[in-house]
Amino acid sequence: MDEYILHLAENRQRRGFLSFLRKLARSITKLKPRHDLASQIKDIKRTIRDIKERADRYGFSSLEHGSSSKTEEKGYDDPRVVSLFMEEDEVVGIDSTKEELIHRLITGKSNRTVTSLVGMGGCGKATLAKTVYDNPKVFEHYDCRAWVSVSQSYKIEDIFRRMIKELCHTRKEFALEGIDTMDQNSLIHMLKEYLLQKRYLIVFDDVWRTDFWSIVKLALPKNSKGSQIIVTTRKEDVASFCKESSWDHVCKLKPLIEEEAWKLFCMKAFQRDFDGCCPPELETVSRAIVKKCEGLPLAIVTIGALLSTKSKDASEWQRFYDSLGSQLERNLHLTNVTKILLLSYHDLPYYLKPCFLYFGIIPEDYEITRGRLIRLWIAEGFIQEQKGKTLEEVAEEWLTELIHRSLVQVSETKLDGRIKKCQVHDLVHEIILVKCEELGFCQVLKEAYPSWDNETRRWSIQMRNITNKDWETMSSTKSRIRSVFVFSVGELPKQQLLGTLAGNFKLVKVLDLQGAPLDQLHKEVGNLLHLRYLSIKRTKVKIIPKSIGNLHNLQTLNLAYSQVDLLQIGILSRLRNCGIFLEVS
């Protein structure tokens, strides 16, 4: 249908040589597309009939009845008062470790000290570190602080720049001009000179490689001010490598003991109905479920959130446990957690699954703003209209439901307590990527990607530099691309990227170029007649071409922090009936 609509629109724009033949020519040119469309619809109907017959034969139920979500019946509390993962884990299972770590940070030796928190993914390393980092006593004790997420893929210069910006945000002492063009040595010198006379606290979260510490420590002076560094990692060799002296410390986080795990589970599973207390008729099966989680906080919180949406019927919980037991036969913790999280994914209502999978488009550890995420969901057509509510209100309710299921985490709130930014846990992100590849939902394009998926609908471009050869291969791919995102790209091909893209992928609905190294918006973008979302936020684009006025389906035009200082009145008048969200600052 998208192709047919595009064909009709392009046909109207063509000008025949003889005016009296135009109407006849248009009628003739419509015949083949209509015939092709009719044939495709017949094939689709035939396929759907076959699927329905197989579903009836094997007794599969409708997707609408596949979820036990009680959203419409009960609703969800305001996320401002929801106890999120960090707050729950703060009072369950880590109290003694937390107090010990706080004591080390405020009464430790005068030497620069490194404390490494090591444990498997989901065991609460980042939770413990963030709890200590935000403690008022710790905050008052240090001259400056910085929290830096590292992850598997990083560029050391970007790590240093983020440290500088964090320190600047804390004390407003750095001049940020020019840091984006500084080389590694200059950044190291700048940091070292600033920190030399400071008592500083730096947290490096989710470190995977030993060579990271080899470089980053050069910027951290060994002063005698009592400075502290915290490193969280899943790998013991990284923790050992960071221990360079007798006063450095490695803290291995262990699974929760049985009663701690039980308390955490009850808080999550029964927080709405029984004030965090398990009813007697569910205790036996609940303890069996907790035992299967093997003391892993992420697994306990996730499965507890899942069960909190189900009716408190013992037989239903027993059936859930029976299914869970068959999934967790092997004694591989990470595999077990993956399977538990997949159970949460499969339990999602059908309308939430694409919203959840959308986090696979976003890079690991990336914090996306609530407004951006909601407008992208709407542009993709995920959000369904509900009587008496705007699409934005419905989308925010769906985001709240994902948060309540502990699948999405709130990373930053506004002054009024509303969600500002959110993200997903690393393990959850890994699972989403597997599902995205399996379903053809999106393809993440990184360096040396082995192949192109011709069936995928979305591209998330996360290459450091896109070469001309890369782009030629991508643009020549015959695909069904509807959405294109650009993340963390340092250099684009010299040829007109957007011109080629607009010419080859005319069915695109979402074009998110936020932060891309882009200085021109090609006029061909105006031919993307299905485009609903266009963002050139934080780019060097100066001029919006007049052809943008052709985009009558446009819903969001984001020009914030770009170099566009003039939007022609003619463009706005042509778009005035579209009801677009225009962000300019």
Side-chain angles (χ1 to χ4, degrees):
M1 293 300 294
D2 286 346
E3 291 173 355
Y4 183 69
I5 291 170
L6 184 66
H7 173 79
L8 293 182
E10 290 177 341
N11 212 32
R12 291 191 193 100
Q13 294 174 0
R14 296 191 188 107
R15 299 186 178 277
F17 295 104
L18 301 173
S19 58
F20 70 91
L21 289 177
R22 286 177 185 169
K23 187 174 180 179
L24 177 61
R26 287 175 187 158
S27 299
I28 294 173
T29 55
K30 290 178 184 177
L31 291 178
K32 187 178 186 306
R34 283 178 175 171
H35 178 267
D36 292 342
L37 179 63
S39 299
Q40 290 182 51
I41 289 175
K42 286 180 181 179
D43 291 341
I44 292 170
K45 283 183 175 180
R46 188 181 304 110
T47 302
I48 291 173
R49 279 197 301 269
D50 292 343
I51 292 171
K52 186 178 185 305
E53 288 173 2
R54 288 197 298 271
D56 292 341
R57 187 183 312 134
Y58 296 109
F60 291 121
S61 60
S62 166
L63 279 172
E64 293 185 19
H65 301 97
S67 171
S68 56
S69 174
K70 304 294 182 186
T71 309
E72 295 183 5
E73 298 175 18
K74 297 178 62 176
Y76 278 91
D77 300 326
D78 192 313
R80 285 173 286 189
V81 296
V82 175
S83 293
L84 298 175
F85 183 83
M86 184 181 72
E87 296 169 332
E88 293 167 341
D89 210 26
E90 181 179 355
V91 295
V92 177
I94 64 169
D95 288 358
S96 60
T97 309
K98 178 187 70 175
E99 294 303 324
E100 179 186 347
L101 187 52
I102 290 174
H103 180 76
R104 287 179 58 86
L105 292 180
I106 62 179
T107 63
K109 297 182 180 296
S110 61
N111 309 77
R112 187 202 71 183
T113 304
V114 181
T115 300
S116 299
L117 306 179
V118 62
M120 62 170 296
C123 73
K125 302 182 297 295
T127 299
L128 173 60
K130 193 69 166 66
T131 301
V132 171
Y133 181 81
D134 290 335
N135 184 274
K137 295 179 183 178
V138 173
F139 178 82
E140 294 295 331
H141 186 71
Y142 290 92
D143 298 325
C144 55
R145 306 178 308 154
W147 178 285
V148 183
S149 295
V150 182
S151 303
Q152 290 174 286
S153 177
Y154 65 87
K155 192 174 181 181
I156 196 67
E157 290 87 350
D158 291 339
I159 295 291
F160 289 139
R161 292 187 185 104
R162 279 152 54 193
M163 289 172 63
I164 292 172
K165 290 175 182 178
E166 279 275 330
L167 294 166
C168 171
H169 176 73
T170 304
R171 298 294 179 184
K172 306 293 184 184
E173 295 180 23
F174 264 137
L176 296 179
E177 290 81 10
I179 68 167
D180 289 335
T181 57
M182 284 186 181
D183 60 18
Q184 178 178 302
N185 291 342
S186 300
L187 292 166
I188 290 174
H189 177 75
M190 184 178 188
L191 278 166
K192 193 169 185 176
E193 186 176 38
Y194 176 78
L195 295 174
L196 190 60
Q197 300 302 322
K198 305 284 186 182
R199 181 190 293 140
Y200 58 86
L201 171 63
I202 311 289
V203 177
F204 297 108
D205 181 40
D206 199 19
V207 178
W208 286 77
R209 291 159 47 183
T210 56
D211 58 357
F212 169 81
W213 177 246
S214 300
I215 301 298
V216 80
K217 70 178 181 180
L218 301 176
L220 305 172
K222 291 183 177 181
N223 56 24
S224 57
K225 303 286 185 179
S227 299
Q228 298 275 352
I229 299 156
I230 298 176
V231 174
T232 74
T233 180
R234 302 180 190 185
K235 304 180 75 173
E236 290 192 20
D237 63 333
V238 172
S240 300
F241 193 81
C242 294
K243 190 179 188 317
E244 298 180 330
S245 64
S246 58
W247 49 79
D248 291 337
H249 179 63
V250 176
C251 177
K252 296 183 180 180
L253 270 65
K254 298 178 181 179
L256 300 180
I257 64 174
E258 185 177 349
E259 284 310 307
E260 292 171 344
W262 174 248
K263 182 179 179 181
L264 179 58
F265 175 81
C266 290
M267 286 174 57
K268 195 63 183 176
F270 306 112
Q271 59 182 331
R272 299 186 184 90
D273 300 318
F274 301 97
D275 295 324
C277 298
C278 177
E281 64 273 17
L282 292 177
E283 182 166 353
T284 300
V285 65
S286 294
R287 285 193 179 275
I289 290 171
V290 171
K291 187 176 181 181
K292 286 291 185 183
C293 291
E294 301 180 28
L296 194 66
L298 176 63
I300 295 167
V301 169
T302 304
I303 205 166
L306 189 157
L307 289 169
S308 70
T309 66
K310 295 184 178 294
S311 67
K312 303 305 181 281
D313 177 74
S315 60
E316 182 176 347
W317 281 47
Q318 186 62 49
R319 285 194 296 271
F320 178 86
Y321 169 72
D322 293 339
S323 171
L324 179 64
S326 65
Q327 297 269 352
L328 303 177
E329 289 298 326
R330 293 163 57 192
N331 189 23
L332 296 174
H333 290 90
L334 186 57
T335 303
N336 289 348
V337 175
T338 302
K339 290 180 179 178
I340 289 173
L341 292 172
L342 278 175
L343 286 175
S344 293
Y345 166 76
H346 290 305
D347 193 70
L348 284 173
Y350 70 92
Y351 58 85
L352 279 183
K353 286 184 176 178
C355 297
F356 178 57
L357 291 177
Y358 218 71
F359 285 90
I361 293 171
I362 302 163
E364 184 182 4
D365 287 326
Y366 191 97
E367 297 178 346
I368 187 169
T369 61
R370 174 190 55 84
R372 181 184 180 187
L373 180 64
I374 283 175
R375 287 189 284 274
L376 284 168
W377 283 353
I378 292 172
E380 293 277 5
F382 295 162
I383 309 302
Q384 302 169 358
E385 291 186 3
Q386 292 183 13
K387 189 175 182 180
K389 298 178 182 178
T390 65
L391 291 177
E392 288 78 9
E393 289 171 338
V394 176
E396 189 153 1
E397 287 182 4
W398 291 8
L399 177 58
T400 300
E401 185 171 353
L402 289 172
I403 292 168
H404 277 283
R405 289 170 172 263
S406 294
L407 292 172
V408 176
Q409 298 173 341
V410 176
S411 54
E412 188 176 342
T413 57
K414 296 183 178 180
L415 291 177
D416 62 1
R418 295 182 66 200
I419 304 165
K420 184 177 181 180
K421 294 180 180 178
C422 58
Q423 62 183 142
V424 293
H425 189 280
D426 291 352
L427 277 179
V428 178
H429 190 264
E430 292 172 12
I431 293 165
I432 291 174
L433 290 179
V434 172
K435 296 302 296 184
C436 285
E437 184 175 354
E438 176 187 325
L439 299 171
F441 185 85
C442 77
Q443 185 174 21
V444 177
L445 305 180
K446 296 186 177 181
E447 276 80 9
Y449 205 86
S451 62
W452 310 98
D453 182 358
N454 291 340
E455 298 299 317
T456 190
R457 292 298 183 100
R458 298 167 187 87
W459 273 350
S460 178
I461 303 174
Q462 299 177 23
M463 300 175 178
R464 288 187 183 174
N465 298 304
I466 304 177
T467 65
N468 284 325
K469 183 178 180 181
D470 288 331
W471 185 242
E472 286 172 7
T473 305
M474 293 162 65
S475 59
S476 64
T477 302
K478 211 171 182 182
S479 66
R480 304 178 177 186
I481 294 299
R482 297 295 196 277
S483 304
V484 178
F485 300 80
V486 176
F487 292 100
S488 305
V489 174
E491 184 178 341
L492 294 173
K494 295 180 180 178
Q495 64 189 47
Q496 294 289 353
L497 174 84
L498 293 183
T500 308
L501 188 148
N504 291 6
F505 305 108
K506 295 187 177 182
L507 303 180
V508 167
K509 295 181 180 180
V510 172
L511 195 54
D512 192 331
L513 306 170
Q514 178 170 325
L518 194 70
D519 56 13
Q520 182 180 1
L521 194 62
H522 199 278
K523 64 180 181 180
E524 282 290 329
V525 173
N527 292 329
L528 299 175
L529 301 183
H530 290 291
L531 196 65
R532 298 177 182 175
Y533 182 102
L534 174 61
S535 175
I536 55 169
K537 183 176 181 177
R538 299 189 188 281
T539 66
K540 295 181 180 180
V541 173
K542 297 179 181 179
I543 299 174
I544 298 296
K546 292 181 181 180
S547 61
I548 295 296
N550 297 330
L551 304 178
H552 295 296
N553 290 312
L554 197 63
Q555 299 170 346
T556 296
L557 177 59
N558 194 338
L559 311 177
Y561 306 107
S562 67
Q563 296 185 17
V564 176
D565 54 11
L566 180 64
L567 194 60
Q568 298 181 30
I569 295 176
I571 295 176
L572 286 175
S573 63
R574 295 177 71 181
L575 295 173
R576 67 184 182 275
N577 295 322
C578 298
I580 65 172
F581 175 86
L582 179 63
E583 185 174 343
V584 294
S585 64

